[in-house]
Amino acid sequence: MRYLWFLLLLLPLALSPFPYYLTLLNFFALSAMVALSLYVLTGLAGMTSFAQAAFMGMGAYATALLTVKAGLSPWLGLGAGLLSALLLALLLGALTVRLKGHFLPLSTIAWQVALYILAGNLVGLTGGHTGLTDLPPIHLFGVSLDTGFRYAFLTLLLLVLLVLALYNLRHSRIGRALLALRGDALAAASFGVDPAALRLKAFLLSGAIAGLAGFLYAHFLRFVNPTPFSLEASIKYLVMAVAGGVGSIPGVMLGAAFFTGLEDWLKDLLPLLLGRQGNYETIGYGLILALILILAPKGVWPMVERYLPNRGQGLPKAEPLPLKSPDGPRGEVVLEVRGLQKSFGGLMVVAGVSFTLKRGEILALIGPNGAGKSTLFNLVAGALLPDRGQVHLFGKEITGLPPYRIHAMGLGRTFQHPHLFLELTVLENAALGTYSRTRAGFIQALLGFSRKEEERALATAYRALKRVGLESLALEKAERLSVGQQRLLEIARLLASGAEVLLLDEPAAGLRAQEKRELASLLRSLAKEGYTVLIVDHDMDLIMGLADRVVVMNYGEKIAEGTPKEVQRNPLVRAAYLGEEEVA
Amino acid sequence: MDATILSFLLLDGLQNGVVYGLLALSLVLVFAVTRVILVPIGELLMFAPLSLVWLLEGKLPGTLWLALALGGAWALMARGRGALLPLVGGVGLFLLFLLAKGVPPLAYLAAVLLVVYLGVATYRVFFQPMRGATVLSLLIMAVGLHVAYQGLGLVFFGPEQFRPAPLLSGEVVVGLSWQGVLVLLFAALSLMALYLFFRFSLFGKALLAAAESRLGARLLGIRPEEAGMVAFGIASLLAAFSGLLLAPLINAAYFMGFMLGLKGFVAAILGGLASYPVAFLGALLVGFFESFTSFYASAYKEALVFLLLVPALFYQSLRARTVEE
């Protein structure tokens, strides 16, 4: 189905009698590439850039300088172009990917403007606003690509290959991780995704794509000057992507096609209407962008897509990933928490709590609302930094490590309020769990080399769904699930991750009685297999029937620890739950 | 470099720096209250002096029609009693413009009110319907409005540069004009007024509360859209005055606002888009840096300013935790 994109290559043949339209066709292909670079950045990774035209400019000027000034081959120019685009992306990205989401786009505006000014003022190097002329044409297999007709085959072929590569990326562990990161960085990080590293790689890929488009642009016009690499141009590409629907590849292509045509038309029409020459089409872009954002924030494509036949994916049939069952002697200490302390402002939420967790046991953490249970969870799993105290996992200190490092060492968690990705299918949500058990990187994912591994990852996720009883909903969107089912899905994601130490934050809240019984028997059988469970819940019947040991917290302190029977008799515990009079 | 040149550069840097500072404060305020990064603040600034030039020549500027159109959309969207403010304001603005043609004091007032009305209408028409959207979507909207407004500025006022007559002519000492003194005075007054407003008035405190926590503010009866309107209003007011005072010194043209606004952004980013004092001090730094780079490398001064972002972002990256909930 996706190979239908190759039909685009017929367009030059159909348009061959009209040189003007061949030029437009080339512009469409180049714009679509830049817009697709924003698909990677905005659609997948949830960032954006107002400097895509600057990346194009890096590609274009690099090749222009090498071919015109040094007389070298355009292919060396391509290498230099990609390299300089990547370097720029590395610089911008390294400075901003660790910051809150708006610093990256905001600083891209600044760099875009700065580079544009430099391109116009470094006259000795760039030729200033007159630019560099007489770039050599590209030669391919002895054919000189010096006409719009011939060039269109190259640009369209590269465009189609890019589209296919991005489909591969979307349906890979990397694509899934990027989408997860966009939706909920904490949940993604809790399953092994390093947010800053992945964002930086996405930014590099997006910069390289735009750089490639710039290289092609330069050798198509065989002339470069700063104008096509301005902030206005960057915004034009963003408008294309957003208007079409930046979350999907067809949407971005649609936007690129529509605006390439519209721009051409506006450039003729507006000066006529206004009686003056000028860049008036930017008004149109700005207003269209505003209307789209208000009326159809997801762009036009989702509205079109509704009427297309839905060709859903099938259930995975591959062999699941090998699941190494937890080994090591039962009763060995797997998690040790010593004197953990955390305060928010003046409020001490966790005040020096210690406990140990032994392999194969179910330890329950209970306490009234506000006792500090969830904060303790977040401290152990790396979502919060403790003020004092240590956490050891399998004998190694993990205090203060980020969640993705802790997860990789064998600890997994669920959240008090489910952190799921509602636009993804149930199966994909569960498959995020396999992130740290799979290996394919960006390049393998783009080239489609990771398909086997991906099949097995999905099969692993499917098996985990079976275990919690959600397999019949595997291909539904996660937004269709009830709250109870969402909690089960979080447990399935955890099982797919192969973590041996399971932290469950109120897994039974919102479950029906029958579902609770099934959950209890699932947890018991997991413990029997050697998994270790730390569970927080308010359902005392469930906890007392399930837990081997119970730790009771109140006002941030541990007030009791022991078997369910012991803590039920403990006067401090009764006081915490029933009120102080009980003690007196 | 001798002492005279040094003092020239310092004065020049200070004069520009305080304007960047006011813009930076506006940006931080608007961001805190509404999560909008107000990229078109430069265009709001630019609309004020150019509208003034048109009024003084006895013509009605195109910005008036833009403001009335947005006001009309605002009234339609607000309906009921909420429509009263845009309608009354729009009619008042129109009448004021008719009176102010060729009448200097009224023209200044009209230009300021126009920009404030336009700023508030921009919030109501474009940003308020997007409440709940991500910061990223709001930023894309803001950038879209920037290009649209800048393009409209070109349509309304053409590509020419204008130099309105200064309010006070002449120089105090060589290198410092009376107009420059006005700029500094205005900045000092604004800082004081903002401080008093946020420190002592109930509404100012409510605004800060809304910035701190939108939900919390709502629970206490502060309507977020009201807070947003006031934030946009203050930002537009500061931008309009800055534009009017600065225009006689640096020429007014449709493209003037963006670079000024962008330097305000650099300053706001130096303060992490959160700290008012650091943003203002950052703006002074931007001003001095720019005035010294323009002495040594004038062709690149506009580009070099952005180099200041590198250490600032680097410092903030070092302090950031990678995973935010």
Side-chain angles (χ1 to χ4, degrees), chain A residues 543-575:
Chain A
I543 291 292
M544 294 304 169
L546 184 65
D548 298 312
R549 286 190 305 134
V550 179
V551 168
V552 189
M553 283 179 74
N554 197 19
Y555 295 116
E557 289 180 23
K558 181 167 94 173
I559 57 169
E561 178 173 356
T563 63
K565 284 232 172 71
E566 286 165 7
V567 299
Q568 274 172 314
R569 283 196 301 266
N570 188 318
L572 284 173
V573 177
R574 301 173 73 106

PDB file of all heavy atoms in Angstrom, chain A residues 543-575:
ATOM      1  N   ILE A 543      -5.268  -6.090  49.938  1.00  0.00           N
ATOM      2  CA  ILE A 543      -3.905  -6.026  50.471  1.00  0.00           C
ATOM      3  C   ILE A 543      -3.687  -7.111  51.529  1.00  0.00           C
ATOM      4  O   ILE A 543      -2.716  -7.849  51.493  1.00  0.00           O
ATOM      5  CB  ILE A 543      -3.661  -4.629  51.106  1.00  0.00           C
ATOM      6  CG1 ILE A 543      -3.613  -3.559  50.029  1.00  0.00           C
ATOM      7  CG2 ILE A 543      -2.387  -4.643  51.927  1.00  0.00           C
ATOM      8  CD1 ILE A 543      -2.430  -3.646  49.136  1.00  0.00           C
ATOM      9  N   MET A 544      -4.643  -7.210  52.440  1.00  0.00           N
ATOM     10  CA  MET A 544      -4.434  -8.138  53.556  1.00  0.00           C
ATOM     11  C   MET A 544      -4.450  -9.582  53.068  1.00  0.00           C
ATOM     12  O   MET A 544      -3.826 -10.455  53.657  1.00  0.00           O
ATOM     13  CB  MET A 544      -5.492  -7.907  54.637  1.00  0.00           C
ATOM     14  CG  MET A 544      -5.358  -6.538  55.302  1.00  0.00           C
ATOM     15  SD  MET A 544      -3.715  -6.300  55.994  1.00  0.00           S
ATOM     16  CE  MET A 544      -3.734  -4.556  56.379  1.00  0.00           C
ATOM     17  N   GLY A 545      -5.178  -9.840  51.990  1.00  0.00           N
ATOM     18  CA  GLY A 545      -5.212 -11.206  51.478  1.00  0.00           C
ATOM     19  C   GLY A 545      -4.020 -11.523  50.596  1.00  0.00           C
ATOM     20  O   GLY A 545      -3.726 -12.679  50.322  1.00  0.00           O
ATOM     21  N   LEU A 546      -3.348 -10.479  50.102  1.00  0.00           N
ATOM     22  CA  LEU A 546      -2.346 -10.678  49.062  1.00  0.00           C
ATOM     23  C   LEU A 546      -0.923 -10.555  49.598  1.00  0.00           C
ATOM     24  O   LEU A 546      -0.038 -11.342  49.250  1.00  0.00           O
ATOM     25  CB  LEU A 546      -2.578  -9.622  47.972  1.00  0.00           C
ATOM     26  CG  LEU A 546      -1.726  -9.653  46.721  1.00  0.00           C
ATOM     27  CD1 LEU A 546      -1.995 -10.925  45.935  1.00  0.00           C
ATOM     28  CD2 LEU A 546      -2.040  -8.441  45.865  1.00  0.00           C
ATOM     29  N   ALA A 547      -0.702  -9.577  50.488  1.00  0.00           N
ATOM     30  CA  ALA A 547       0.670  -9.208  50.834  1.00  0.00           C
ATOM     31  C   ALA A 547       1.312 -10.215  51.774  1.00  0.00           C
ATOM     32  O   ALA A 547       0.651 -10.806  52.629  1.00  0.00           O
ATOM     33  CB  ALA A 547       0.685  -7.823  51.470  1.00  0.00           C
ATOM     34  N   ASP A 548       2.613 -10.413  51.586  1.00  0.00           N
ATOM     35  CA  ASP A 548       3.371 -11.194  52.551  1.00  0.00           C
ATOM     36  C   ASP A 548       3.705 -10.322  53.759  1.00  0.00           C
ATOM     37  O   ASP A 548       3.653 -10.746  54.890  1.00  0.00           O
ATOM     38  CB  ASP A 548       4.672 -11.694  51.923  1.00  0.00           C
ATOM     39  CG  ASP A 548       4.397 -12.602  50.754  1.00  0.00           C
ATOM     40  OD1 ASP A 548       3.562 -13.519  50.904  1.00  0.00           O
ATOM     41  OD2 ASP A 548       4.976 -12.377  49.665  1.00  0.00           O
ATOM     42  N   ARG A 549       4.080  -9.087  53.452  1.00  0.00           N
ATOM     43  CA  ARG A 549       4.400  -8.146  54.510  1.00  0.00           C
ATOM     44  C   ARG A 549       3.772  -6.806  54.178  1.00  0.00           C
ATOM     45  O   ARG A 549       3.514  -6.509  53.012  1.00  0.00           O
ATOM     46  CB  ARG A 549       5.921  -7.968  54.641  1.00  0.00           C
ATOM     47  CG  ARG A 549       6.628  -9.150  55.301  1.00  0.00           C
ATOM     48  CD  ARG A 549       8.065  -8.810  55.623  1.00  0.00           C
ATOM     49  NE  ARG A 549       8.773  -8.346  54.434  1.00  0.00           N
ATOM     50  CZ  ARG A 549       9.548  -7.278  54.416  1.00  0.00           C
ATOM     51  NH1 ARG A 549       9.707  -6.540  55.485  1.00  0.00           N
ATOM     52  NH2 ARG A 549      10.176  -6.932  53.302  1.00  0.00           N
ATOM     53  N   VAL A 550       3.567  -5.994  55.208  1.00  0.00           N
ATOM     54  CA  VAL A 550       2.943  -4.690  55.014  1.00  0.00           C
ATOM     55  C   VAL A 550       3.800  -3.637  55.707  1.00  0.00           C
ATOM     56  O   VAL A 550       4.263  -3.855  56.825  1.00  0.00           O
ATOM     57  CB  VAL A 550       1.516  -4.662  55.609  1.00  0.00           C
ATOM     58  CG1 VAL A 550       0.893  -3.288  55.422  1.00  0.00           C
ATOM     59  CG2 VAL A 550       0.644  -5.729  54.972  1.00  0.00           C
ATOM     60  N   VAL A 551       4.032  -2.512  55.005  1.00  0.00           N
ATOM     61  CA  VAL A 551       4.670  -1.357  55.624  1.00  0.00           C
ATOM     62  C   VAL A 551       3.611  -0.268  55.723  1.00  0.00           C
ATOM     63  O   VAL A 551       2.919   0.013  54.739  1.00  0.00           O
ATOM     64  CB  VAL A 551       5.875  -0.861  54.799  1.00  0.00           C
ATOM     65  CG1 VAL A 551       6.338   0.498  55.291  1.00  0.00           C
ATOM     66  CG2 VAL A 551       7.013  -1.864  54.865  1.00  0.00           C
ATOM     67  N   VAL A 552       3.445   0.326  56.899  1.00  0.00           N
ATOM     68  CA  VAL A 552       2.417   1.348  57.074  1.00  0.00           C
ATOM     69  C   VAL A 552       3.090   2.706  57.254  1.00  0.00           C
ATOM     70  O   VAL A 552       4.026   2.847  58.035  1.00  0.00           O
ATOM     71  CB  VAL A 552       1.538   1.054  58.310  1.00  0.00           C
ATOM     72  CG1 VAL A 552       0.346   2.003  58.336  1.00  0.00           C
ATOM     73  CG2 VAL A 552       1.075  -0.385  58.287  1.00  0.00           C
ATOM     74  N   MET A 553       2.617   3.688  56.475  1.00  0.00           N
ATOM     75  CA  MET A 553       3.165   5.040  56.584  1.00  0.00           C
ATOM     76  C   MET A 553       2.095   5.998  57.072  1.00  0.00           C
ATOM     77  O   MET A 553       0.914   5.831  56.774  1.00  0.00           O
ATOM     78  CB  MET A 553       3.664   5.547  55.217  1.00  0.00           C
ATOM     79  CG  MET A 553       4.995   4.963  54.787  1.00  0.00           C
ATOM     80  SD  MET A 553       5.449   5.618  53.178  1.00  0.00           S
ATOM     81  CE  MET A 553       5.929   7.288  53.600  1.00  0.00           C
ATOM     82  N   ASN A 554       2.520   7.004  57.823  1.00  0.00           N
ATOM     83  CA  ASN A 554       1.622   8.105  58.166  1.00  0.00           C
ATOM     84  C   ASN A 554       2.463   9.362  58.316  1.00  0.00           C
ATOM     85  O   ASN A 554       3.542   9.324  58.895  1.00  0.00           O
ATOM     86  CB  ASN A 554       0.883   7.808  59.468  1.00  0.00           C
ATOM     87  CG  ASN A 554      -0.329   8.715  59.623  1.00  0.00           C
ATOM     88  OD1 ASN A 554      -0.801   9.292  58.629  1.00  0.00           O
ATOM     89  ND2 ASN A 554      -0.815   8.853  60.832  1.00  0.00           N
ATOM     90  N   TYR A 555       1.990  10.464  57.778  1.00  0.00           N
ATOM     91  CA  TYR A 555       2.722  11.733  57.809  1.00  0.00           C
ATOM     92  C   TYR A 555       4.186  11.557  57.419  1.00  0.00           C
ATOM     93  O   TYR A 555       5.078  12.093  58.060  1.00  0.00           O
ATOM     94  CB  TYR A 555       2.629  12.374  59.197  1.00  0.00           C
ATOM     95  CG  TYR A 555       1.223  12.779  59.543  1.00  0.00           C
ATOM     96  CD1 TYR A 555       0.555  12.193  60.599  1.00  0.00           C
ATOM     97  CD2 TYR A 555       0.556  13.746  58.780  1.00  0.00           C
ATOM     98  CE1 TYR A 555      -0.742  12.548  60.900  1.00  0.00           C
ATOM     99  CE2 TYR A 555      -0.737  14.097  59.080  1.00  0.00           C
ATOM    100  CZ  TYR A 555      -1.386  13.518  60.137  1.00  0.00           C
ATOM    101  OH  TYR A 555      -2.663  13.865  60.423  1.00  0.00           O
ATOM    102  N   GLY A 556       4.430  10.766  56.388  1.00  0.00           N
ATOM    103  CA  GLY A 556       5.790  10.653  55.862  1.00  0.00           C
ATOM    104  C   GLY A 556       6.690   9.713  56.611  1.00  0.00           C
ATOM    105  O   GLY A 556       7.834   9.508  56.220  1.00  0.00           O
ATOM    106  N   GLU A 557       6.199   9.134  57.709  1.00  0.00           N
ATOM    107  CA  GLU A 557       7.067   8.234  58.463  1.00  0.00           C
ATOM    108  C   GLU A 557       6.526   6.826  58.431  1.00  0.00           C
ATOM    109  O   GLU A 557       5.323   6.606  58.324  1.00  0.00           O
ATOM    110  CB  GLU A 557       7.138   8.710  59.927  1.00  0.00           C
ATOM    111  CG  GLU A 557       7.926   9.985  60.086  1.00  0.00           C
ATOM    112  CD  GLU A 557       7.967  10.426  61.530  1.00  0.00           C
ATOM    113  OE1 GLU A 557       7.785   9.574  62.418  1.00  0.00           O
ATOM    114  OE2 GLU A 557       8.173  11.638  61.747  1.00  0.00           O
ATOM    115  N   LYS A 558       7.452   5.876  58.555  1.00  0.00           N
ATOM    116  CA  LYS A 558       7.012   4.486  58.669  1.00  0.00           C
ATOM    117  C   LYS A 558       6.574   4.264  60.102  1.00  0.00           C
ATOM    118  O   LYS A 558       7.326   4.508  61.036  1.00  0.00           O
ATOM    119  CB  LYS A 558       8.169   3.560  58.317  1.00  0.00           C
ATOM    120  CG  LYS A 558       7.806   2.100  58.378  1.00  0.00           C
ATOM    121  CD  LYS A 558       8.849   1.244  57.724  1.00  0.00           C
ATOM    122  CE  LYS A 558       9.826   0.753  58.789  1.00  0.00           C
ATOM    123  NZ  LYS A 558      10.766  -0.237  58.217  1.00  0.00           N
ATOM    124  N   ILE A 559       5.325   3.836  60.313  1.00  0.00           N
ATOM    125  CA  ILE A 559       4.875   3.644  61.692  1.00  0.00           C
ATOM    126  C   ILE A 559       4.775   2.165  62.044  1.00  0.00           C
ATOM    127  O   ILE A 559       4.677   1.823  63.225  1.00  0.00           O
ATOM    128  CB  ILE A 559       3.535   4.350  61.973  1.00  0.00           C
ATOM    129  CG1 ILE A 559       2.454   3.878  61.011  1.00  0.00           C
ATOM    130  CG2 ILE A 559       3.694   5.858  61.911  1.00  0.00           C
ATOM    131  CD1 ILE A 559       1.073   4.347  61.425  1.00  0.00           C
ATOM    132  N   ALA A 560       4.762   1.289  61.071  1.00  0.00           N
ATOM    133  CA  ALA A 560       4.684  -0.132  61.408  1.00  0.00           C
ATOM    134  C   ALA A 560       5.143  -0.962  60.225  1.00  0.00           C
ATOM    135  O   ALA A 560       5.118  -0.515  59.085  1.00  0.00           O
ATOM    136  CB  ALA A 560       3.252  -0.517  61.783  1.00  0.00           C
ATOM    137  N   GLU A 561       5.583  -2.181  60.519  1.00  0.00           N
ATOM    138  CA  GLU A 561       5.969  -3.108  59.467  1.00  0.00           C
ATOM    139  C   GLU A 561       5.751  -4.505  60.005  1.00  0.00           C
ATOM    140  O   GLU A 561       6.010  -4.782  61.173  1.00  0.00           O
ATOM    141  CB  GLU A 561       7.446  -2.904  59.099  1.00  0.00           C
ATOM    142  CG  GLU A 561       7.920  -3.881  58.046  1.00  0.00           C
ATOM    143  CD  GLU A 561       9.332  -3.578  57.555  1.00  0.00           C
ATOM    144  OE1 GLU A 561       9.908  -2.563  57.985  1.00  0.00           O
ATOM    145  OE2 GLU A 561       9.832  -4.359  56.749  1.00  0.00           O
ATOM    146  N   GLY A 562       5.252  -5.416  59.178  1.00  0.00           N
ATOM    147  CA  GLY A 562       5.061  -6.785  59.637  1.00  0.00           C
ATOM    148  C   GLY A 562       4.095  -7.521  58.737  1.00  0.00           C
ATOM    149  O   GLY A 562       3.732  -7.027  57.657  1.00  0.00           O
ATOM    150  N   THR A 563       3.685  -8.711  59.172  1.00  0.00           N
ATOM    151  CA  THR A 563       2.711  -9.464  58.387  1.00  0.00           C
ATOM    152  C   THR A 563       1.377  -8.737  58.483  1.00  0.00           C
ATOM    153  O   THR A 563       1.164  -7.915  59.395  1.00  0.00           O
ATOM    154  CB  THR A 563       2.543 -10.881  58.956  1.00  0.00           C
ATOM    155  OG1 THR A 563       2.030 -10.767  60.273  1.00  0.00           O
ATOM    156  CG2 THR A 563       3.874 -11.618  58.970  1.00  0.00           C
ATOM    157  N   PRO A 564       0.458  -9.031  57.580  1.00  0.00           N
ATOM    158  CA  PRO A 564      -0.848  -8.357  57.644  1.00  0.00           C
ATOM    159  C   PRO A 564      -1.486  -8.480  59.022  1.00  0.00           C
ATOM    160  O   PRO A 564      -2.032  -7.512  59.551  1.00  0.00           O
ATOM    161  CB  PRO A 564      -1.662  -9.093  56.576  1.00  0.00           C
ATOM    162  CG  PRO A 564      -0.658  -9.553  55.580  1.00  0.00           C
ATOM    163  CD  PRO A 564       0.585  -9.861  56.359  1.00  0.00           C
ATOM    164  N   LYS A 565      -1.393  -9.654  59.608  1.00  0.00           N
ATOM    165  CA  LYS A 565      -2.003  -9.848  60.938  1.00  0.00           C
ATOM    166  C   LYS A 565      -1.379  -8.906  61.952  1.00  0.00           C
ATOM    167  O   LYS A 565      -2.064  -8.286  62.756  1.00  0.00           O
ATOM    168  CB  LYS A 565      -1.782 -11.294  61.379  1.00  0.00           C
ATOM    169  CG  LYS A 565      -2.699 -12.257  60.667  1.00  0.00           C
ATOM    170  CD  LYS A 565      -3.438 -13.146  61.697  1.00  0.00           C
ATOM    171  CE  LYS A 565      -4.494 -13.981  61.018  1.00  0.00           C
ATOM    172  NZ  LYS A 565      -3.916 -15.060  60.173  1.00  0.00           N
ATOM    173  N   GLU A 566      -0.046  -8.840  61.944  1.00  0.00           N
ATOM    174  CA  GLU A 566       0.645  -8.010  62.927  1.00  0.00           C
ATOM    175  C   GLU A 566       0.243  -6.547  62.817  1.00  0.00           C
ATOM    176  O   GLU A 566      -0.048  -5.894  63.818  1.00  0.00           O
ATOM    177  CB  GLU A 566       2.177  -8.142  62.768  1.00  0.00           C
ATOM    178  CG  GLU A 566       2.730  -9.470  63.276  1.00  0.00           C
ATOM    179  CD  GLU A 566       4.151  -9.725  62.782  1.00  0.00           C
ATOM    180  OE1 GLU A 566       4.742  -8.814  62.159  1.00  0.00           O
ATOM    181  OE2 GLU A 566       4.650 -10.826  63.007  1.00  0.00           O
ATOM    182  N   VAL A 567       0.253  -6.038  61.604  1.00  0.00           N
ATOM    183  CA  VAL A 567      -0.049  -4.611  61.496  1.00  0.00           C
ATOM    184  C   VAL A 567      -1.499  -4.332  61.815  1.00  0.00           C
ATOM    185  O   VAL A 567      -1.842  -3.261  62.308  1.00  0.00           O
ATOM    186  CB  VAL A 567       0.311  -4.018  60.108  1.00  0.00           C
ATOM    187  CG1 VAL A 567       1.778  -4.156  59.840  1.00  0.00           C
ATOM    188  CG2 VAL A 567      -0.508  -4.620  59.014  1.00  0.00           C
ATOM    189  N   GLN A 568      -2.380  -5.296  61.547  1.00  0.00           N
ATOM    190  CA  GLN A 568      -3.790  -5.049  61.867  1.00  0.00           C
ATOM    191  C   GLN A 568      -3.991  -4.899  63.368  1.00  0.00           C
ATOM    192  O   GLN A 568      -4.904  -4.217  63.807  1.00  0.00           O
ATOM    193  CB  GLN A 568      -4.652  -6.194  61.339  1.00  0.00           C
ATOM    194  CG  GLN A 568      -5.039  -5.985  59.884  1.00  0.00           C
ATOM    195  CD  GLN A 568      -5.717  -7.196  59.300  1.00  0.00           C
ATOM    196  OE1 GLN A 568      -5.264  -8.316  59.470  1.00  0.00           O
ATOM    197  NE2 GLN A 568      -6.796  -6.971  58.596  1.00  0.00           N
ATOM    198  N   ARG A 569      -3.129  -5.531  64.156  1.00  0.00           N
ATOM    199  CA  ARG A 569      -3.259  -5.444  65.611  1.00  0.00           C
ATOM    200  C   ARG A 569      -2.538  -4.231  66.173  1.00  0.00           C
ATOM    201  O   ARG A 569      -2.730  -3.860  67.311  1.00  0.00           O
ATOM    202  CB  ARG A 569      -2.696  -6.723  66.256  1.00  0.00           C
ATOM    203  CG  ARG A 569      -3.627  -7.921  66.164  1.00  0.00           C
ATOM    204  CD  ARG A 569      -3.175  -8.998  67.140  1.00  0.00           C
ATOM    205  NE  ARG A 569      -1.825  -9.438  66.885  1.00  0.00           N
ATOM    206  CZ  ARG A 569      -1.517 -10.501  66.132  1.00  0.00           C
ATOM    207  NH1 ARG A 569      -2.482 -11.212  65.572  1.00  0.00           N
ATOM    208  NH2 ARG A 569      -0.270 -10.844  65.935  1.00  0.00           N
ATOM    209  N   ASN A 570      -1.683  -3.607  65.360  1.00  0.00           N
ATOM    210  CA  ASN A 570      -0.828  -2.532  65.861  1.00  0.00           C
ATOM    211  C   ASN A 570      -1.653  -1.292  66.212  1.00  0.00           C
ATOM    212  O   ASN A 570      -2.391  -0.767  65.380  1.00  0.00           O
ATOM    213  CB  ASN A 570       0.203  -2.188  64.777  1.00  0.00           C
ATOM    214  CG  ASN A 570       1.246  -1.227  65.269  1.00  0.00           C
ATOM    215  OD1 ASN A 570       0.917  -0.276  65.970  1.00  0.00           O
ATOM    216  ND2 ASN A 570       2.492  -1.472  64.912  1.00  0.00           N
ATOM    217  N   PRO A 571      -1.573  -0.831  67.474  1.00  0.00           N
ATOM    218  CA  PRO A 571      -2.403   0.323  67.880  1.00  0.00           C
ATOM    219  C   PRO A 571      -2.088   1.590  67.088  1.00  0.00           C
ATOM    220  O   PRO A 571      -2.997   2.381  66.803  1.00  0.00           O
ATOM    221  CB  PRO A 571      -2.060   0.507  69.362  1.00  0.00           C
ATOM    222  CG  PRO A 571      -0.824  -0.287  69.598  1.00  0.00           C
ATOM    223  CD  PRO A 571      -0.769  -1.373  68.580  1.00  0.00           C
ATOM    224  N   LEU A 572      -0.810   1.798  66.721  1.00  0.00           N
ATOM    225  CA  LEU A 572      -0.469   3.000  65.953  1.00  0.00           C
ATOM    226  C   LEU A 572      -1.188   3.003  64.611  1.00  0.00           C
ATOM    227  O   LEU A 572      -1.659   4.029  64.129  1.00  0.00           O
ATOM    228  CB  LEU A 572       1.046   3.058  65.711  1.00  0.00           C
ATOM    229  CG  LEU A 572       1.899   3.479  66.899  1.00  0.00           C
ATOM    230  CD1 LEU A 572       3.370   3.315  66.566  1.00  0.00           C
ATOM    231  CD2 LEU A 572       1.583   4.927  67.248  1.00  0.00           C
ATOM    232  N   VAL A 573      -1.253   1.835  63.975  1.00  0.00           N
ATOM    233  CA  VAL A 573      -1.912   1.729  62.678  1.00  0.00           C
ATOM    234  C   VAL A 573      -3.403   2.001  62.828  1.00  0.00           C
ATOM    235  O   VAL A 573      -3.994   2.744  62.047  1.00  0.00           O
ATOM    236  CB  VAL A 573      -1.681   0.328  62.077  1.00  0.00           C
ATOM    237  CG1 VAL A 573      -2.420   0.181  60.765  1.00  0.00           C
ATOM    238  CG2 VAL A 573      -0.195   0.060  61.907  1.00  0.00           C
ATOM    239  N   ARG A 574      -3.986   1.438  63.863  1.00  0.00           N
ATOM    240  CA  ARG A 574      -5.420   1.662  64.059  1.00  0.00           C
ATOM    241  C   ARG A 574      -5.669   3.144  64.296  1.00  0.00           C
ATOM    242  O   ARG A 574      -6.640   3.708  63.805  1.00  0.00           O
ATOM    243  CB  ARG A 574      -5.915   0.832  65.236  1.00  0.00           C
ATOM    244  CG  ARG A 574      -5.672  -0.657  65.026  1.00  0.00           C
ATOM    245  CD  ARG A 574      -6.022  -1.427  66.292  1.00  0.00           C
ATOM    246  NE  ARG A 574      -7.462  -1.493  66.470  1.00  0.00           N
ATOM    247  CZ  ARG A 574      -8.162  -2.606  66.244  1.00  0.00           C
ATOM    248  NH1 ARG A 574      -7.560  -3.694  65.828  1.00  0.00           N
ATOM    249  NH2 ARG A 574      -9.451  -2.618  66.427  1.00  0.00           N
ATOM    250  N   ALA A 575      -4.781   3.778  65.044  1.00  0.00           N
ATOM    251  CA  ALA A 575      -4.954   5.205  65.301  1.00  0.00           C
ATOM    252  C   ALA A 575      -4.854   5.995  64.009  1.00  0.00           C
ATOM    253  O   ALA A 575      -5.636   6.909  63.757  1.00  0.00           O
ATOM    254  CB  ALA A 575      -3.897   5.680  66.296  1.00  0.00           C
TER     255      ALA A 575
END
